[in-house]
């Protein structure tokens, strides 16, 4: 029976095993749906030509019936999955709106108070700055949580457009101007660096997470360097700091969800930033590599493939995900 199912050919009456039985594949075009077995032990009866024609007709109808049931089940599952994805997306959008809108309003109000009332007493100004810092940190946590959900649920969709590396990094640095204010910053972007073909918003999020970590785990006054370069096959953006550094053996673990090194337990964080960065970059067909800086610190290198306009990066990222590259 197994041989018939694998090869799609009938067997019986003196062929292979159990010669009293006739095995016929339930076959539609190139698909085998099962095997039908006919006959009676001990009688050695062989079907006549007319009986074989009738049996083959019945087998064909049975195969079509089975295929129809399978196709209907597959269609039902597809409809359920599509509906589930729509509900999932609506829920994420709702959560994002309900959580991030109040935070944006609070941030705007604090900024207004700080700018319009420059003569505030020091204690009140410190309090406002603490509120602003807390709101910014909460906004990053919510953004990262929602990003992780999208990555793991397969809802991450790329909207790739040509993007200049200097413009991309400039936007990120403006977003993090207050976070990086205590760190001397160096940016190196050669003129020959090719344009990136990426989802700009997502790559910005990845770079924000990397640079935020560089600042968070480095002492005030320590430098941070950003270097971009282009090769024949890839464009790399490396962020180098002189901070706490990586414990040997943790280079891969850093990209696991909620993983936090024993060396940074005293610093607040969720352990999601690098996991999301890794997911975003892999969706683009690239990779993120963590290495130790010498004599101390970390080098985070984002490597993005050089691609032409319209190349299906989302499909490449999906295939990487199915091969398990999102799991660590």
């Amino acid at each position: 029976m197994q041989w018939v199912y694998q090869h799609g050919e009938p067997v019986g009456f003196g062929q292979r095993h159990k010669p009293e039985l006739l095995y016929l594949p339930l076959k539609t075009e190139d698909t085998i749906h099962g095997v039908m077995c006919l006959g009676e032990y001990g009688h050695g009866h062989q079907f006549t030509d007319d009986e074989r024609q009738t049996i083959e007709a019945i087998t064909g109808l049975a195969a079509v019936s089975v295929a129809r049931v399978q196709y209907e089940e597959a269609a039902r599952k597809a409809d359920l999955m599509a509906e589930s994805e729509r509900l999932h997306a609506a829920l994420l959008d709702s959560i994002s709106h309900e959580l991030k809108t109040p935070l944006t309003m609070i941030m705007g109000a604090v900024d207004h108070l700080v700018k319009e009332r420059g003569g505030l007493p020091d204690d009140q100004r410190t309090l406002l700055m603490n509120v602003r810092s807390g709101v910014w940190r909460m906004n990053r946590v919510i953004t990262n949580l929602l990003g992780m959900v999208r990555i793991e649920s397969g809802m991450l969709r790329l909207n790739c457009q040509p993007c200049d590396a200097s413009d991309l990094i400039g936007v990120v640095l403006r977003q993090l101007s207050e976070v990086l204010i205590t760190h001397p910053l160096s940016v190196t972007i050669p003129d020959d660096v090719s344009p990136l073909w990426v989802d700009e918003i997502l790559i910005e999020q990845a770079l924000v997470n990397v640079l935020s970590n560089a600042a968070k785990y480095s002492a005030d006054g320590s430098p941070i360097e950003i270097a971009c370069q282009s090769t024949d096959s890839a464009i790399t953006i490396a962020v180098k700091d002189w901070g706490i550094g990586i414990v040997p053996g943790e280079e891969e673990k850093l990209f696991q969800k909620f993983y936090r090194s024993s060396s940074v337990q005293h610093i607040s964080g969720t352990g999601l930033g690098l996991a999301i960065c890794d997911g975003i970059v892999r969706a683009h067909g690239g990779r993120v590599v963590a290495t130790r800086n010498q004599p101390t610190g970390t080098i985070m290198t984002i490597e993005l493939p050089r691609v032409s306009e319209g190349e299906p990066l989302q499909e490449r990222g999906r295939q990487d995900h199915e091969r398990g590259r999102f799991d660590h």
Side-chain angles (χ1 to χ4, degrees), residues 2 41 65 100 102 115 120 137 197 239 244 255 267 300 316:
Q2 187 65 31
Y41 285 117
S65 299
K100 299 189 75 171
K115 292 177 181 178
L120 285 173
R137 186 165 58 249
W197 182 258
V239 177
I244 295 173
F255 301 103
I267 301 175
M300 287 286 177
R316 180 191 302 177

Side-chain angles (χ1 to χ4, degrees), residues 173-204:
L173 294 181
R174 284 192 292 273
Q175 289 184 36
L176 297 175
S177 57
E178 293 189 14
V179 174
L180 300 171
I181 195 170
T182 59
H183 297 274
L185 197 63
S186 169
V187 181
T188 302
I189 306 176
D191 293 336
D192 62 350
V193 171
S194 303
L196 298 163
W197 182 258
V198 295
D199 187 309
E200 189 170 352
I201 293 176
L202 291 176
I203 295 298
E204 284 175 9

Side-chain angles (χ1 to χ4, degrees), residues 212-264:
S212 296
N213 277 4
K216 180 190 296 185
Y217 300 121
S218 302
D220 288 349
S222 63
I224 295 176
E225 294 182 0
I226 304 172
C228 185
Q229 67 179 112
S230 180
T231 67
D232 292 338
S233 60
I235 298 173
T236 62
I237 303 174
V239 177
K240 181 188 296 186
D241 66 62
W242 278 260
I244 295 173
I246 305 173
V247 176
E250 290 188 332
E251 290 84 355
E252 294 293 330
K253 295 179 181 178
L254 294 175
F255 301 103
Q256 295 176 2
K257 299 188 303 295
F258 305 113
Y259 180 81
R260 306 203 67 227
S261 172
S262 58
S263 63
V264 299

Side-chain angles (χ1 to χ4, degrees), residues 49-50 94 112 144:
D49 291 341
D50 290 341
S94 177
H112 177 77
N144 284 337

Side-chain angles (χ1 to χ4, degrees), residues 3 11 13 15 29 31 33 35 53 59-60 64 77 81 89 162 168 192 196 203 214 232 253 259 265 287 304-305 323:
W3 188 93
V11 167
F13 300 120
Q15 297 173 308
E29 297 182 355
T31 303
H33 302 279
V35 176
Q53 291 180 1
T59 302
V64 170
K77 289 181 178 180
M81 187 173 294
L168 177 70
D192 62 350
L196 298 163
I203 295 298
D232 292 338
K253 295 179 181 178
Y259 180 81
Q265 293 296 321
R287 62 174 184 156
L304 296 165
R323 286 195 297 266

Side-chain angles (χ1 to χ4, degrees), residues 158 160-163 194-199 230-235 281-286 303-314 316-317:
L158 302 183
C160 293
Q161 300 291 333
C163 173
S194 303
L196 298 163
W197 182 258
V198 295
D199 187 309
S230 180
T231 67
D232 292 338
S233 60
I235 298 173
V281 173
R282 287 189 185 279
H284 284 79
E303 182 179 299
L304 296 165
R306 293 183 62 173
V307 296
S308 59
E309 181 173 338
E311 185 171 337
L313 283 172
Q314 184 69 45
R316 180 191 302 177

